[in-house]
Amino acid sequence: DTEVTQTPKHLVMGMTNKKSLKCEQHMGHRAMYWYKQKAKKPPELMFVYSYEKLSINESVPSRFSPECPNSSLLNLHLHALQPEDSALYLCASSLGQGRGYTFGSGTRLTVV
Amino acid sequence: QKEVEQDPGPLSVPEGAIVSLNCTYSNSAFQYFMWYRQYSRKGPELLMYTYSSGNKEDGRFTAQVDKSSKYISLFIRDSQPSDSATYLCAMSYTDSWGKLQFGAGTQVVVTP
């Protein structure tokens, strides 16, 4: 299995909703990442988990809450989002040092 | 000044031509270099990964890294309409569980 699987593929949520994005990989990668990508822009890092511990938080607002239940799973919990948070949310995993850095297909999030 | 500079294009070439893409960077601490292809509304797909100066070839793709000039390139031979996508260069540091630093991405259009 050489894939990073993200669900759902599309999500529409209101500003008062709570939702979660899910990410799964079975490549034995020990680092997992959340990126946010706006249209015609490169991905921007949000969070890094290495060995299931949060190692980098790029000053992301608290309405985004990551969780790493085990080495294969990564969640992103969403609460009280704003319309400007609408974007493609990408999960990735890697072996470290840039090796095997693999992205999922993303969740396209629309906040209404 | 951005750490990684990449011309956003668009770059339009006729089918069968060689596509030439490049990025420059300012931080000599970057040691690992990647090229990703991203189709519209999809996640980035890793094309090439290198960690030393020189050339690396994979099918129709050739990646070049010149660390002395802080310059990397990607060449696509015998381009096809299916190569039409955005191409992102990305780099990471030696200690890296951390983030990839992306260029802006170059939109490539291969016309039949």
Side-chain angles (χ1 to χ4, degrees), chain A residues 7-56:
Chain A
T7 56
K9 294 191 183 308
H10 303 276
L11 179 62
V12 179
M13 60 184 292
M15 289 188 285
T16 59
N17 291 161
K18 288 184 180 181
K19 297 286 184 183
S20 296
L21 309 184
K22 297 186 183 301
C23 175
E24 190 168 2
Q25 59 89 13
H26 296 287
M27 295 178 280
H29 290 177
R30 302 318 298 260
M32 296 186 76
Y33 312 80
W34 282 113
Y35 282 80
K36 173 182 177 180
Q37 187 176 27
K38 302 284 271 186
K40 298 191 183 300
K41 297 290 187 183
E44 296 178 357
L45 183 71
M46 301 174 71
F47 303 103
V48 180
Y49 274 83
S50 56
Y51 290 92
E52 300 162 46
K53 293 192 187 323
L54 184 64
S55 57
I56 296 178

Side-chain angles (χ1 to χ4, degrees), chain B residues 50-94:
Chain B
T50 57
Y51 57 88
S52 60
S53 286
N55 293 356
K56 182 176 181 179
E57 190 171 319
D58 184 0
R60 296 186 296 116
F61 299 93
T62 299
Q64 290 184 348
V65 174
D66 182 346
K67 289 186 177 179
S68 63
S69 300
K70 299 189 182 67
Y71 187 91
I72 67 171
S73 300
L74 178 71
F75 300 96
I76 308 173
R77 292 182 297 280
D78 188 25
S79 58
Q80 304 295 312
S82 58
D83 294 324
S84 298
T86 296
Y87 290 81
L88 294 148
C89 66
M91 326 189 166
S92 66
Y93 303 103
T94 54

Side-chain angles (χ1 to χ4, degrees), chain A residues 30-31 33 35 37 41-43 45 48 50-51 56 58 88 90 94-99 101-105 108, chain B residues 32 34 36 38 40-46 49 88 92-100 102-105 107:
Chain A
R30 302 318 298 260
Y33 312 80
Y35 282 80
Q37 187 176 27
K41 297 290 187 183
L45 183 71
V48 180
S50 56
Y51 290 92
I56 296 178
E58 291 282 288
L88 182 67
L90 295 162
S94 85
L95 291 164
Q97 297 180 334
R99 293 174 299 158
Y101 214 113
T102 303
F103 284 86
S105 294
R108 185 157 299 279
Chain B
Y32 302 95
M34 286 140 273
Y36 285 86
Q38 187 172 24
S40 181
R41 295 177 172 268
K42 299 291 187 183
E45 172 192 2
L46 181 65
Y49 166 81
L88 294 148
S92 66
Y93 303 103
T94 54
D95 63 343
S96 185
W97 290 111
K99 66 180 179 182
L100 295 183
F102 284 93
Q107 183 186 358

Side-chain angles (χ1 to χ4, degrees), chain B residues 4-68:
Chain B
V4 181
E5 298 278 358
Q6 182 179 9
D7 187 337
L11 176 64
S12 183
V13 300
E15 184 175 356
I18 294 176
V19 177
S20 176
L21 304 165
N22 59 75
C23 291
T24 59
Y25 61 96
S26 57
N27 191 337
S28 58
F30 288 127
Q31 296 294 323
Y32 302 95
F33 305 92
M34 286 140 273
W35 285 95
Y36 285 86
R37 176 175 64 194
Q38 187 172 24
Y39 293 112
S40 181
R41 295 177 172 268
K42 299 291 187 183
E45 172 192 2
L46 181 65
L47 291 175
M48 302 289 281
Y49 166 81
T50 57
Y51 57 88
S52 60
S53 286
N55 293 356
K56 182 176 181 179
E57 190 171 319
D58 184 0
R60 296 186 296 116
F61 299 93
T62 299
Q64 290 184 348
V65 174
D66 182 346
K67 289 186 177 179
S68 63

